[in-house]
Amino acid sequence: AMEGRAVGSGEEIHLTLYWEALAEMERDYTVFTHVIGERDRIWAQVDSQPQGGAAPTSTWSRGQVLMDEYHLLVEPDTPPGVYDIEVGLYLAATGERLGLLDEAGHWLDSRVLLTKVRVR
């Protein structure tokens, strides 16, 4: 869920993610939320453990749903245009991203493109 689909440069995007744990995890992953432009240039970024560290992924129970909020500050020099919002999980110690798999278990990507946002 995202408030609005347009934002001015230097303004915040309020992003609410909902995670459902399909299995229990042993490790604590960090969430990345990015506003990206051409050649994956990042124009806004927040990396955090879920709920600001209050809900590490190793504590999730199977079937649990968590609400997780982020406030992405768009860089003041961001050119007007349409940008993607990407989200994913990684291990802070190594930078290794968690893979996105299809229902058959095949690797698709290391991120999810959630939606587009217009910077005016």
Side-chain angles (χ1 to χ4, degrees):
M2 195 178 89
E3 291 177 20
R5 288 283 193 264
V7 65
S9 58
E11 293 180 358
E12 272 191 353
I13 295 168
H14 301 288
L15 182 66
T16 304
L17 304 177
Y18 294 89
W19 301 105
E20 181 181 0
L22 301 179
E24 293 184 5
M25 289 189 272
E26 294 178 5
R27 295 163 139 182
D28 290 326
Y29 286 89
T30 299
V31 179
F32 65 86
T33 58
H34 298 157
V35 174
I36 56 169
E38 291 180 15
R39 296 181 299 283
D40 286 344
R41 160 78 156 86
I42 296 173
W43 294 96
Q45 173 176 7
V46 175
D47 289 26
S48 173
Q49 286 198 12
Q51 296 180 352
T57 56
S58 65
T59 67
W60 294 6
S61 303
R62 184 176 176 158
Q64 182 179 5
V65 176
L66 286 101
M67 188 175 81
D68 194 19
E69 296 184 281
Y70 294 85
H71 302 278
L72 292 127
L73 183 64
V74 178
E75 291 184 11
D77 59 344
T78 304
V82 176
Y83 295 80
D84 284 302
I85 295 181
E86 69 170 0
V87 171
L89 296 163
Y90 69 94
L91 287 173
T94 63
E96 177 191 353
R97 289 186 177 186
L98 192 62
L100 178 68
L101 306 178
D102 66 15
E103 290 182 5
H106 299 116
W107 190 90
L108 297 174
D109 205 341
S110 61
R111 65 180 182 179
V112 176
L113 295 177
L114 282 187
T115 187
K116 293 187 182 297
V117 62
R118 177 176 296 282
V119 176
R120 45 176 196 267

